[in-house]
Amino acid sequence: MAPMLDSTDRVPSLLNGGLGKISPGYWVTCIGLTAMIDIFGTLRTKNAPDYVPGDFGLCLGYPSNEDGKRRMQLAEIKNGRLAMIAVFGFAIQ
């Protein structure tokens, strides 16, 4: 990874202008995989009216009762919000 590092040994990011050093093939792959996931979700929404976005059928450790599901969904939302605040704090540092 040494060729991607800048003179101060920082990794490429949007904040330091280093994203141009990343291979275009990588970006094409990332956008392609993201599009496939989005298309999969869209097709699944059309075919199953009771489909909840983001539900890929992974139920390991997930509560089976309705109250537990609501608690876990709230915990997911709070965790996501905390992560967004953390990334924002990292970016302004």
Side-chain angles (χ1 to χ4, degrees):
M1 191 159 153
M4 285 189 239
L5 299 178
D6 65 3
S7 61
T8 59
D9 287 336
R10 294 184 305 175
V11 295
S13 80
L14 183 64
L15 301 175
N16 66 15
L19 291 182
K21 297 178 183 177
I22 306 298
S23 167
Y26 171 78
W27 295 119
V28 169
T29 303
C30 285
I31 292 171
L33 288 174
T34 304
M36 285 175 38
I37 292 170
D38 190 44
I39 291 168
F40 174 73
T42 303
L43 292 174
R44 200 160 167 200
T45 301
K46 290 180 181 179
N47 295 336
D50 60 340
Y51 171 70
V52 176
D55 180 16
F56 292 106
L58 302 172
C59 300
L60 301 173
Y62 205 73
S64 58
N65 61 357
E66 204 57 39
D67 190 41
K69 286 182 183 179
R70 273 193 234 109
R71 185 180 53 80
M72 287 294 285
Q73 288 172 348
L74 181 63
E76 285 264 348
I77 289 172
K78 287 182 176 181
N79 187 26
R81 289 176 181 163
L82 180 63
M84 286 186 269
I85 291 170
V87 168
F88 177 74
F90 175 75
I92 63 172
Q93 245 180 355

XYZ file of all heavy atoms in Angstrom:
701
model
N 0.806 -1.185 0.000
C 0.000 0.000 0.000
C 0.857 1.260 0.000
O 0.346 2.349 -0.006
C -0.924 -0.019 1.215
C -1.972 1.029 1.147
S -3.319 0.581 2.227
C -3.931 2.171 2.579
N 2.134 1.100 -0.004
C 3.026 2.249 0.036
C 2.811 3.228 -1.123
O 2.871 4.427 -0.914
C 4.475 1.777 0.069
N 2.539 2.799 -2.371
C 2.370 3.786 -3.438
C 1.135 4.673 -3.266
O 1.066 5.743 -3.825
C 2.231 2.956 -4.702
C 2.461 1.552 -4.337
C 2.529 1.455 -2.856
N 0.154 4.225 -2.511
C -1.057 5.026 -2.329
C -0.900 6.071 -1.229
O -1.651 7.030 -1.178
C -2.242 4.120 -2.001
C -2.753 3.364 -3.181
S -4.266 2.549 -2.741
C -3.840 0.875 -3.041
N 0.062 5.900 -0.340
C 0.249 6.839 0.754
C 0.856 8.135 0.233
O 1.658 8.135 -0.693
C 1.148 6.232 1.824
C 0.640 4.953 2.497
C 1.673 4.451 3.487
C -0.682 5.180 3.175
N 0.481 9.264 0.851
C 1.060 10.532 0.423
C 2.351 10.796 1.194
O 2.843 9.948 1.922
C 0.054 11.673 0.564
C -0.340 11.943 2.009
O 0.207 11.280 2.902
O -1.191 12.820 2.218
N 2.898 11.981 1.049
C 4.194 12.287 1.661
C 4.148 12.278 3.188
O 5.183 12.136 3.831
C 4.688 13.641 1.164
O 3.759 14.654 1.529
N 2.986 12.439 3.769
C 2.872 12.403 5.234
C 2.347 11.056 5.725
O 1.871 10.952 6.848
C 1.947 13.538 5.723
O 0.668 13.391 5.127
C 2.524 14.899 5.400
N 2.388 10.033 4.878
C 1.942 8.673 5.199
C 0.462 8.600 5.560
O 0.053 7.809 6.397
C 2.781 8.058 6.330
C 4.170 7.683 5.868
O 4.342 7.466 4.650
O 5.081 7.624 6.704
N -0.350 9.438 4.914
C -1.794 9.375 5.114
C -2.401 8.523 4.003
O -1.968 8.581 2.853
C -2.414 10.766 5.083
C -1.977 11.626 6.245
C -2.663 12.946 6.242
N -2.465 13.610 4.959
C -3.018 14.743 4.614
N -3.839 15.357 5.435
N -2.777 15.281 3.443
N -3.433 7.756 4.366
C -4.124 6.943 3.368
C -5.018 7.843 2.521
O -5.432 8.909 2.965
C -4.955 5.818 4.021
C -4.061 4.838 4.729
C -5.989 6.377 4.955
N -5.338 7.428 1.288
C -6.183 8.254 0.437
C -7.590 8.398 1.007
O -8.179 7.435 1.475
C -6.237 7.494 -0.883
C -5.331 6.344 -0.760
C -4.890 6.229 0.648
N -8.111 9.610 0.976
C -9.481 9.844 1.410
C -10.017 11.068 0.689
O -9.277 11.807 0.050
C -9.560 10.040 2.922
O -9.186 11.338 3.274
N -11.293 11.268 0.818
C -11.937 12.426 0.213
C -11.412 13.721 0.824
O -11.299 14.734 0.148
C -13.451 12.320 0.409
C -14.306 13.403 -0.209
C -14.185 13.369 -1.729
C -15.746 13.227 0.189
N -11.050 13.661 2.096
C -10.632 14.863 2.808
C -9.225 15.315 2.458
O -8.906 16.485 2.608
C -10.748 14.637 4.313
C -12.153 14.273 4.809
C -12.118 13.951 6.284
C -13.120 15.388 4.518
N -8.361 14.425 1.993
C -7.004 14.850 1.645
C -6.735 14.771 0.138
O -5.594 14.882 -0.300
C -5.955 14.063 2.433
C -5.913 12.594 2.096
O -6.454 12.156 1.092
N -5.271 11.812 2.953
N -7.776 14.568 -0.658
C -7.632 14.588 -2.110
C -6.918 13.385 -2.686
O -6.410 13.450 -3.810
N -6.888 12.278 -1.997
C -6.134 11.130 -2.462
C -6.935 10.062 -3.177
O -6.396 9.027 -3.553
N -8.227 10.274 -3.394
C -9.045 9.235 -4.016
C -8.675 8.993 -5.474
O -8.975 7.944 -6.022
C -10.531 9.573 -3.898
C -11.096 9.513 -2.489
C -12.586 9.811 -2.509
C -10.849 8.180 -1.842
N -8.020 9.941 -6.103
C -7.582 9.762 -7.490
C -6.497 8.705 -7.631
O -6.224 8.231 -8.733
N -5.867 8.323 -6.541
C -4.803 7.311 -6.585
C -5.345 5.891 -6.597
O -4.604 4.951 -6.804
C -3.880 7.479 -5.380
C -3.157 8.802 -5.348
C -2.314 8.917 -4.099
C -1.643 10.271 -4.025
N -0.888 10.428 -2.807
N -6.639 5.733 -6.347
C -7.266 4.412 -6.313
C -7.640 3.993 -7.728
O -8.122 4.803 -8.522
C -8.514 4.426 -5.407
C -8.168 4.956 -4.014
C -9.137 3.052 -5.316
C -7.170 4.137 -3.257
N -7.461 2.733 -8.041
C -7.723 2.203 -9.374
C -9.184 2.394 -9.788
O -10.093 2.118 -9.000
C -7.391 0.707 -9.398
O -7.897 0.105 -10.554
N -9.438 2.828 -11.028
C -10.820 2.951 -11.507
C -11.566 1.614 -11.494
O -12.782 1.584 -11.322
C -10.670 3.476 -12.931
C -9.339 4.133 -12.964
C -8.483 3.367 -11.992
N -10.846 0.513 -11.662
C -11.475 -0.802 -11.600
C -12.102 -1.073 -10.247
O -13.155 -1.701 -10.147
N -11.464 -0.581 -9.206
C -12.006 -0.733 -7.859
C -13.339 0.004 -7.744
O -14.304 -0.520 -7.205
C -11.011 -0.199 -6.828
C -11.570 -0.123 -5.431
C -11.669 -1.268 -4.659
C -12.008 1.084 -4.893
C -12.191 -1.210 -3.379
C -12.529 1.150 -3.621
C -12.609 0.001 -2.866
O -13.131 0.062 -1.609
N -13.388 1.235 -8.265
C -14.623 2.024 -8.187
C -15.739 1.389 -9.014
O -16.894 1.378 -8.592
C -14.375 3.463 -8.624
C -13.440 4.185 -7.715
C -12.236 4.722 -8.043
C -13.605 4.434 -6.317
N -11.635 5.282 -6.949
C -12.455 5.124 -5.875
C -14.598 4.135 -5.399
C -12.305 5.523 -4.548
C -14.437 4.539 -4.080
C -13.308 5.222 -3.670
N -15.390 0.858 -10.184
C -16.394 0.191 -11.018
C -16.954 -1.031 -10.282
O -18.165 -1.269 -10.283
C -15.794 -0.202 -12.383
C -16.715 -1.116 -13.156
C -15.470 1.046 -13.187
N -16.084 -1.793 -9.642
C -16.521 -2.961 -8.884
C -17.426 -2.560 -7.722
O -18.479 -3.174 -7.499
C -15.305 -3.746 -8.349
O -14.463 -4.108 -9.444
C -15.729 -4.984 -7.605
N -17.045 -1.535 -6.981
C -17.868 -1.074 -5.848
C -19.240 -0.609 -6.312
O -20.260 -0.977 -5.722
C -17.170 0.067 -5.121
S -15.796 -0.466 -4.113
N -19.286 0.189 -7.369
C -20.567 0.686 -7.873
C -21.401 -0.455 -8.438
O -22.613 -0.511 -8.238
C -20.336 1.804 -8.915
C -19.762 3.029 -8.207
C -21.615 2.156 -9.652
C -19.300 4.117 -9.127
N -20.765 -1.411 -9.112
C -21.481 -2.564 -9.655
C -22.104 -3.420 -8.563
O -23.269 -3.825 -8.663
N -21.342 -3.703 -7.515
C -21.883 -4.502 -6.403
C -23.016 -3.766 -5.690
O -24.031 -4.373 -5.323
C -20.773 -4.852 -5.415
C -19.769 -5.885 -5.897
C -18.626 -6.034 -4.891
C -20.441 -7.221 -6.129
N -22.855 -2.471 -5.517
C -23.911 -1.683 -4.887
C -25.176 -1.695 -5.728
O -26.287 -1.836 -5.202
C -23.431 -0.236 -4.674
O -22.224 -0.259 -3.908
C -24.464 0.600 -3.970
N -25.020 -1.567 -7.040
C -26.183 -1.604 -7.936
C -26.870 -2.963 -7.880
O -28.107 -3.036 -7.884
C -25.752 -1.284 -9.362
N -26.089 -4.044 -7.810
C -26.683 -5.380 -7.732
C -27.497 -5.544 -6.452
O -28.593 -6.099 -6.469
C -25.590 -6.450 -7.817
C -25.039 -6.629 -9.203
S -23.648 -7.786 -9.338
C -24.032 -9.076 -8.228
N -26.982 -5.060 -5.342
C -27.707 -5.151 -4.078
C -28.994 -4.338 -4.153
O -30.059 -4.780 -3.702
C -26.818 -4.683 -2.905
C -25.687 -5.679 -2.685
C -27.633 -4.497 -1.631
C -24.620 -5.213 -1.732
N -28.919 -3.147 -4.744
C -30.098 -2.301 -4.869
C -31.149 -2.937 -5.776
O -32.340 -2.930 -5.459
C -29.698 -0.930 -5.398
C -30.820 0.066 -5.326
O -31.502 0.106 -4.283
O -31.025 0.806 -6.305
N -30.711 -3.496 -6.878
C -31.648 -4.166 -7.801
C -32.280 -5.378 -7.125
O -33.482 -5.617 -7.251
C -30.931 -4.550 -9.103
C -30.587 -3.284 -9.893
C -31.765 -5.502 -9.947
C -29.642 -3.513 -11.056
N -31.484 -6.143 -6.383
C -32.006 -7.295 -5.654
C -33.107 -6.875 -4.685
O -34.165 -7.492 -4.605
C -30.866 -7.994 -4.908
C -31.311 -9.105 -4.011
C -31.743 -10.310 -4.531
C -31.307 -8.947 -2.634
C -32.156 -11.336 -3.702
C -31.709 -9.957 -1.790
C -32.138 -11.157 -2.330
N -32.867 -5.788 -3.934
C -33.862 -5.300 -2.996
C -35.116 -4.796 -3.678
O -36.235 -5.028 -3.215
N -34.948 -4.120 -4.818
C -36.098 -3.606 -5.563
C -36.947 -4.745 -6.102
O -38.181 -4.718 -5.996
C -35.629 -2.706 -6.722
O -34.831 -1.644 -6.181
C -36.803 -2.121 -7.474
N -36.304 -5.755 -6.670
C -37.049 -6.898 -7.187
C -37.752 -7.654 -6.060
O -38.875 -8.126 -6.223
C -36.122 -7.837 -7.952
C -35.559 -7.291 -9.258
C -34.550 -8.265 -9.847
C -36.677 -7.003 -10.244
N -37.085 -7.761 -4.939
C -37.687 -8.466 -3.803
C -38.885 -7.696 -3.250
O -39.860 -8.286 -2.804
C -36.626 -8.662 -2.728
C -36.974 -9.747 -1.775
C -35.765 -10.243 -1.050
N -36.251 -11.054 0.060
C -35.563 -11.356 1.116
N -34.334 -10.923 1.223
N -36.074 -12.083 2.061
N -38.825 -6.362 -3.284
C -39.948 -5.544 -2.821
C -41.166 -5.745 -3.711
O -42.291 -5.819 -3.226
C -39.553 -4.058 -2.815
O -38.432 -3.889 -1.967
C -40.672 -3.182 -2.323
N -40.944 -5.849 -5.015
C -42.055 -6.029 -5.952
C -42.691 -7.406 -5.825
O -43.891 -7.563 -5.987
C -41.577 -5.817 -7.385
C -41.248 -4.380 -7.696
C -40.789 -4.235 -9.119
C -40.441 -2.785 -9.415
N -39.965 -2.608 -10.781
N -41.883 -8.429 -5.539
C -42.383 -9.801 -5.491
C -42.981 -10.190 -4.144
O -43.800 -11.100 -4.077
C -41.264 -10.778 -5.849
C -40.801 -10.599 -7.281
O -41.541 -10.109 -8.124
N -39.567 -10.974 -7.547
N -42.563 -9.553 -3.079
C -43.059 -9.901 -1.742
C -43.567 -8.623 -1.062
O -42.774 -7.797 -0.633
C -41.945 -10.532 -0.913
N -44.869 -8.459 -0.950
C -45.404 -7.224 -0.366
C -45.067 -7.032 1.114
O -45.043 -5.916 1.596
C -46.910 -7.355 -0.562
C -47.166 -8.785 -0.821
C -45.921 -9.381 -1.370
N -44.761 -8.108 1.841
C -44.432 -7.985 3.263
C -42.930 -7.847 3.511
O -42.474 -7.922 4.641
C -44.977 -9.186 4.035
C -44.408 -10.502 3.543
O -43.914 -10.553 2.399
O -44.469 -11.486 4.302
N -42.157 -7.610 2.456
C -40.695 -7.479 2.573
C -40.326 -6.172 3.272
O -40.854 -5.115 2.964
C -40.057 -7.532 1.186
C -38.589 -7.203 1.178
C -37.658 -8.069 1.725
C -38.136 -6.009 0.638
C -36.313 -7.773 1.720
C -36.795 -5.696 0.625
C -35.885 -6.580 1.168
O -34.551 -6.271 1.168
N -39.420 -6.253 4.226
C -38.898 -5.077 4.915
C -37.500 -4.807 4.350
O -36.659 -5.714 4.322
C -38.815 -5.337 6.443
C -38.194 -4.161 7.158
C -40.183 -5.654 6.997
N -37.213 -3.586 3.877
C -35.894 -3.293 3.321
C -34.776 -3.636 4.302
O -34.862 -3.331 5.489
C -35.951 -1.787 3.061
C -37.392 -1.501 2.875
C -38.112 -2.437 3.786
N -33.743 -4.288 3.797
C -32.617 -4.683 4.626
C -32.764 -6.056 5.261
O -31.838 -6.548 5.890
N -33.910 -6.698 5.094
C -34.136 -8.020 5.676
C -33.682 -9.085 4.685
O -34.357 -9.360 3.699
C -35.617 -8.207 6.010
C -35.909 -9.557 6.627
O -34.948 -10.223 7.071
O -37.085 -9.942 6.660
N -32.525 -9.655 4.934
C -31.999 -10.700 4.063
C -32.174 -12.086 4.670
O -31.547 -13.041 4.237
C -30.529 -10.441 3.748
C -30.330 -9.218 2.892
C -29.825 -8.067 3.441
C -30.673 -9.225 1.556
C -29.652 -6.935 2.665
C -30.512 -8.106 0.765
C -29.999 -6.955 1.326
N -32.999 -12.197 5.703
C -33.308 -13.490 6.286
C -32.292 -13.991 7.299
O -32.323 -15.149 7.671
N -31.388 -13.147 7.762
C -30.404 -13.557 8.760
C -31.000 -13.318 10.143
O -31.149 -12.188 10.581
C -29.110 -12.758 8.599
C -28.447 -12.881 7.234
C -27.295 -11.914 7.128
C -27.975 -14.290 6.993
N -31.358 -14.366 10.827
C -32.053 -14.245 12.118
C -31.215 -14.743 13.287
O -31.758 -15.026 14.353
C -33.375 -15.004 12.062
S -34.495 -14.403 10.816
N -29.918 -14.879 13.135
C -29.068 -15.398 14.207
C -29.015 -14.412 15.366
O -28.607 -13.268 15.208
C -27.655 -15.645 13.683
C -27.548 -16.632 12.532
C -26.140 -16.654 11.990
C -27.963 -18.012 12.979
N -29.475 -14.834 16.532
C -29.441 -13.993 17.721
C -30.505 -12.919 17.750
O -30.505 -12.074 18.632
N -31.398 -12.923 16.784
C -32.463 -11.916 16.721
C -33.679 -12.437 17.463
O -34.072 -13.580 17.294
C -32.803 -11.651 15.252
C -33.405 -10.299 14.986
C -32.621 -9.157 15.042
C -34.753 -10.167 14.687
C -33.160 -7.920 14.795
C -35.301 -8.933 14.440
C -34.501 -7.810 14.493
O -35.042 -6.581 14.255
N -34.305 -11.627 18.302
C -35.457 -12.109 19.080
C -36.635 -12.489 18.187
O -36.851 -11.890 17.143
C -35.823 -10.934 19.977
C -35.001 -9.792 19.563
C -33.986 -10.250 18.597
N -37.403 -13.461 18.611
C -38.541 -13.920 17.812
C -39.839 -13.222 18.188
O -40.767 -13.191 17.392
C -38.714 -15.431 17.960
O -38.905 -15.754 19.316
N -39.916 -12.637 19.385
C -41.154 -11.958 19.767
C -41.170 -10.516 19.244
O -40.135 -9.934 18.939
C -41.368 -11.992 21.277
C -40.260 -11.294 22.034
O -39.298 -10.821 21.454
N -40.403 -11.245 23.339
N -42.343 -9.929 19.152
C -42.518 -8.609 18.546
C -41.859 -7.504 19.376
O -41.266 -6.577 18.823
C -44.021 -8.327 18.380
C -44.350 -7.338 17.314
C -43.838 -7.713 15.935
O -43.869 -8.894 15.553
O -43.389 -6.788 15.228
N -41.937 -7.605 20.695
C -41.335 -6.590 21.557
C -39.809 -6.588 21.414
O -39.175 -5.531 21.347
C -41.741 -6.835 23.017
C -41.355 -5.691 23.921
O -41.517 -4.529 23.490
O -40.900 -5.963 25.053
N -39.226 -7.781 21.363
C -37.782 -7.894 21.179
C -37.335 -7.361 19.829
O -36.281 -6.727 19.719
N -38.134 -7.600 18.794
C -37.802 -7.080 17.454
C -37.786 -5.557 17.448
O -36.892 -4.939 16.884
C -38.795 -7.602 16.420
C -38.604 -9.043 16.060
C -39.602 -9.462 15.005
C -39.463 -10.940 14.683
N -40.423 -11.377 13.681
N -38.807 -4.955 18.076
C -38.854 -3.489 18.132
C -37.660 -2.929 18.891
O -37.080 -1.919 18.500
C -40.164 -3.031 18.787
C -41.268 -2.913 17.786
C -42.463 -2.168 18.372
N -43.626 -3.032 18.186
C -44.271 -3.667 19.130
N -43.920 -3.547 20.372
N -45.292 -4.437 18.855
N -37.272 -3.589 19.976
C -36.123 -3.139 20.764
C -34.837 -3.219 19.948
O -34.021 -2.298 19.960
C -36.008 -3.989 22.034
C -34.915 -3.532 22.974
C -34.836 -4.398 24.224
N -34.718 -5.821 23.961
C -33.586 -6.442 23.635
N -32.469 -5.757 23.524
N -33.564 -7.741 23.419
N -34.677 -4.303 19.209
C -33.481 -4.462 18.374
C -33.461 -3.454 17.228
O -32.405 -2.916 16.882
C -33.405 -5.887 17.819
C -33.042 -6.921 18.844
S -31.373 -6.741 19.476
C -30.449 -7.369 18.114
N -34.614 -3.186 16.626
C -34.664 -2.200 15.542
C -34.309 -0.813 16.062
O -33.580 -0.064 15.411
C -36.048 -2.204 14.898
C -36.301 -3.437 14.067
C -37.734 -3.541 13.573
O -38.614 -2.820 14.016
N -37.965 -4.473 12.664
N -34.802 -0.468 17.247
C -34.464 0.819 17.849
C -32.968 0.885 18.152
O -32.320 1.920 17.918
C -35.281 1.042 19.117
C -35.042 2.358 19.841
C -35.433 3.532 18.956
C -35.822 2.387 21.144
N -32.405 -0.213 18.647
C -30.970 -0.251 18.928
C -30.163 -0.076 17.648
O -29.136 0.614 17.647
C -30.603 -1.565 19.610
N -30.616 -0.660 16.538
C -29.928 -0.505 15.243
C -29.941 0.953 14.796
O -28.941 1.482 14.331
C -30.616 -1.364 14.186
C -30.334 -2.829 14.297
C -29.204 -3.267 13.399
O -28.791 -2.490 12.520
O -28.728 -4.382 13.595
N -31.097 1.602 14.924
C -31.202 3.002 14.513
C -30.295 3.881 15.374
O -29.571 4.741 14.854
C -32.668 3.471 14.596
C -33.471 2.800 13.487
C -32.769 4.986 14.484
C -34.951 3.031 13.574
N -30.309 3.656 16.685
C -29.458 4.452 17.572
C -27.979 4.217 17.280
O -27.177 5.153 17.308
C -29.774 4.130 19.031
C -31.092 4.697 19.488
C -31.335 4.394 20.960
C -32.615 5.036 21.442
N -32.836 4.775 22.872
N -27.609 2.965 16.994
C -26.227 2.652 16.677
C -25.798 3.347 15.382
O -24.694 3.888 15.287
C -26.044 1.140 16.559
C -24.607 0.740 16.397
O -23.713 1.446 16.823
N -24.385 -0.404 15.784
N -26.688 3.344 14.387
C -26.386 4.025 13.124
C -26.210 5.516 13.312
O -25.312 6.136 12.733
N -27.057 6.116 14.124
C -26.948 7.558 14.387
C -25.655 7.887 15.123
O -24.984 8.873 14.798
C -28.152 8.033 15.195
C -29.416 8.037 14.380
C -30.605 8.412 15.208
N -31.820 8.384 14.387
C -33.038 8.352 14.866
N -33.232 8.359 16.176
N -34.070 8.327 14.063
N -25.298 7.064 16.087
C -24.049 7.276 16.807
C -22.855 7.147 15.860
O -21.905 7.932 15.938
C -23.932 6.283 17.965
C -22.678 6.378 18.811
C -22.609 7.734 19.505
C -22.649 5.250 19.829
N -22.913 6.193 14.949
C -21.821 6.021 13.984
C -21.703 7.236 13.077
O -20.587 7.681 12.753
C -22.055 4.757 13.158
N -22.840 7.805 12.653
C -22.791 9.000 11.809
C -22.172 10.173 12.556
O -21.374 10.932 11.999
C -24.191 9.366 11.317
C -24.713 8.442 10.244
S -26.269 9.006 9.573
C -27.417 8.163 10.629
N -22.507 10.325 13.828
C -21.921 11.403 14.625
C -20.420 11.179 14.792
O -19.622 12.122 14.711
C -22.629 11.501 15.989
C -24.058 11.998 15.789
C -21.869 12.409 16.944
C -24.923 11.894 17.031
N -20.016 9.939 14.997
C -18.600 9.625 15.154
C -17.806 9.931 13.888
O -16.715 10.497 13.950
C -18.423 8.159 15.546
N -18.358 9.579 12.729
C -17.668 9.857 11.465
C -17.580 11.362 11.240
O -16.557 11.885 10.778
C -18.372 9.142 10.291
C -17.876 9.642 8.958
C -18.168 7.647 10.406
N -18.650 12.093 11.558
C -18.630 13.541 11.437
C -17.554 14.134 12.332
O -16.788 15.005 11.911
C -20.007 14.126 11.778
C -20.046 15.622 11.740
C -20.028 16.286 10.525
C -20.116 16.364 12.903
C -20.057 17.673 10.477
C -20.140 17.741 12.876
C -20.111 18.395 11.652
N -17.463 13.665 13.583
C -16.432 14.141 14.499
C -15.046 13.820 13.993
O -14.118 14.647 14.111
N -14.854 12.650 13.407
C -13.566 12.275 12.839
C -13.205 13.194 11.674
O -12.061 13.609 11.527
C -13.597 10.817 12.385
C -12.359 10.376 11.684
C -11.199 10.120 12.389
C -12.335 10.219 10.309
C -10.034 9.725 11.752
C -11.199 9.807 9.654
C -10.042 9.571 10.381
N -14.195 13.525 10.853
C -13.924 14.355 9.671
C -13.546 15.782 10.048
O -12.701 16.386 9.384
C -15.162 14.358 8.767
N -14.138 16.324 11.112
C -13.817 17.703 11.461
C -12.573 17.825 12.346
O -12.118 18.916 12.605
C -15.010 18.419 12.131
C -15.385 17.758 13.439
C -16.175 18.512 11.202
C -16.421 18.531 14.227
N -12.035 16.706 12.789
C -10.854 16.740 13.651
C -9.650 17.259 12.931
O -9.183 16.960 11.965
C -10.535 15.356 14.174
C -10.691 15.272 15.626
C -10.375 13.883 16.154
O -10.121 12.945 15.433
N -10.405 13.767 17.444
